[in-house]
Amino acid sequence: MLKKIGIITLGYGKPRYIEMAKTLARSLKLHSPNISRAIVTDRTEEKEILELFDIVIPFNKDYGSNLRQKLYINEYTPYTKTLFIDSDSIVVKDIYFIFEELEGRSFTVPGERLLSFGDQDNFIEDVDFILKKFNLTALPKFNGGVYYFDDSECATEIFTTAQSILKDCHNLPFSQFRNDGPSEEPLFAIAMAVHNQTMFNDAGRFMRTPIGITGKLEIDVLKGKSRFKKYQNIVSPAIVHFAGDWAETYIYYREALKLTEQYPLVKLIALLKVLLQAPKKFFAKH
């Protein structure tokens, strides 16, 4: 039986990814305890997973690995209105307001930038080719840390279109290929444009990554605070997406540790251990 609203994430494979999903769940449990939490995982019997998530969904290897799983989140979700959140994220505020503000939309992401003819992009080698190929005038540009969608036919069509583009990806000018294809953002961007779905300008309140940050990343998951300057704007997102190397920094580990029961007793020992084992890039954004 479908539930009305909920959050879903992916947590499978390497232990690191499982631990990040647990951190996300702890932050959700702290700040949005009344919103159902679901996980797609290959650790369906793990006690802590069962304690942190309301719904545990078996990982389907037939969907593929890495980004391909994101393209089938609509098949996994037990909700009629779903907010997908990447596992390398930490929630610092109640996010129920996101569902309220996105009421009536079929599929959307936070963002405001559009790619037009002549623009350059790090995910698409030839933006003009893509626009011409799909008979579009512009493409939404966003980070795929969150996706909102409902159970409508329109949302289903977006997933289906993104999946079909992936099948033909090697004939399209995508860059940053992983083992199983390009990043999912341009696939969903094309599908959104094809089906006339727009981004939601959240003014930095829903989700942001620290990528492009100027100055210090201020975040305290226990106090419910986040604030930093991203490019030219000051943002205070409810969801901080520690994309890329940011999930390997001191700040991420510090906030993740705060959410554990052992934090008051072992924070110094744990932090010292992390510091001793951390790669050089760990210190780059402290």
Side-chain angles (χ1 to χ4, degrees):
M1 180 178 178
L2 288 173
K3 295 189 175 183
K4 187 174 182 182
I5 71 167
I7 296 147
I8 193 168
T9 193
L10 296 167
Y12 62 91
K14 296 180 180 179
R16 174 172 174 261
Y17 301 136
I18 308 300
E19 291 306 312
M20 287 195 295
K22 291 178 183 177
T23 293
L24 171 61
R26 293 186 189 106
S27 68
L28 286 164
K29 191 173 182 180
L30 175 63
H31 292 290
S32 296
N34 297 321
I35 302 178
S36 179
R37 301 179 297 277
I39 184 173
V40 176
T41 184
D42 53 5
R43 308 287 184 88
T44 56
E45 302 300 322
E46 186 174 320
K47 181 181 177 182
E48 197 170 20
I49 290 287
L50 294 171
E51 290 174 347
L52 288 170
F53 290 92
D54 302 298
I55 301 173
V56 177
I57 304 165
F59 170 80
N60 185 345
K61 64 179 182 180
D62 293 337
Y63 291 154
S65 61
N66 208 356
L67 76 93
R68 293 176 186 260
Q69 289 289 318
K70 280 191 179 183
L71 301 182
Y72 291 91
I73 286 294
N74 65 318
E75 299 289 341
Y76 282 125
T77 186
Y79 310 114
T80 60
K81 298 176 182 179
T82 304
L83 186 68
F84 168 82
I85 306 178
D86 259 343
S87 62
D88 54 348
S89 301
I90 292 179
V91 172
V92 299
K93 302 173 186 176
D94 187 355
I95 60 172
Y96 184 76
F97 76 97
I98 295 178
F99 289 93
E100 292 181 317
E101 295 196 26
L102 298 182
E103 179 69 32
R105 285 179 173 260
S106 294
F107 186 107
T108 193
V109 295
E112 55 192 66
R113 183 185 168 199
L114 292 173
L115 295 174
S116 303
F117 284 99
D119 285 341
Q120 302 294 315
D121 183 61
N122 56 332
F123 290 135
I124 302 174
E125 293 178 355
D126 190 338
V127 174
D128 289 9
F129 179 92
I130 293 294
L131 292 173
K132 292 175 182 177
K133 169 76 174 177
F134 293 94
N135 194 28
L136 303 171
T137 58
L139 278 177
K141 174 65 178 176
F142 54 83
N143 173 271
V146 303
Y147 291 100
Y148 171 86
F149 60 94
D150 63 14
D151 60 349
S152 67
E153 182 178 349
C154 178
T156 300
E157 289 175 346
I158 289 175
F159 280 98
T160 301
T161 298
Q163 293 161 16
S164 68
I165 296 170
L166 178 63
K167 293 177 182 178
D168 193 41
C169 66
H170 291 286
N171 295 317
L172 297 169
F174 294 123
S175 55
Q176 296 196 11
F177 270 69
R178 304 176 189 178
N179 292 333
D180 53 1
S183 296
E184 92 284 346
E185 285 98 335
L187 308 182
F188 277 130
I190 295 170
M192 287 176 65
V194 167
H195 295 287
N196 299 310
Q197 296 300 295
T198 60
M199 296 180 290
F200 185 87
N201 188 347
D202 68 335
R205 296 177 300 116
F206 287 13
M207 182 280 296
R208 285 294 184 275
T209 78
I211 295 172
I213 190 173
T214 300
K216 183 180 179 181
L217 169 58
E218 298 177 24
I219 179 173
D220 191 321
V221 66
L222 299 183
K223 294 181 179 179
K225 295 180 179 179
S226 73
R227 186 179 185 275
F228 53 94
K229 185 176 183 180
K230 185 176 175 70
Y231 303 119
Q232 301 303 314
N233 300 314
I234 301 295
V235 296
S236 295
I239 304 167
V240 179
H241 180 204
F242 288 83
D245 291 344
W246 276 95
E248 298 179 34
T249 60
Y250 163 77
I251 295 176
Y252 175 81
Y253 285 106
R254 181 193 69 199
E255 297 305 306
L257 189 60
K258 286 180 182 179
L259 292 162
T260 65
E261 293 180 358
Q262 296 82 10
Y263 178 66
L265 299 176
V266 302
K267 62 180 180 180
L268 180 58
I269 296 174
L271 286 173
L272 286 174
K273 182 178 179 182
V274 169
L275 290 172
L276 290 171
Q277 296 178 344
K280 290 182 179 179
K281 61 185 175 182
F282 178 89
F283 300 96
K285 305 182 180 77
H286 66 283

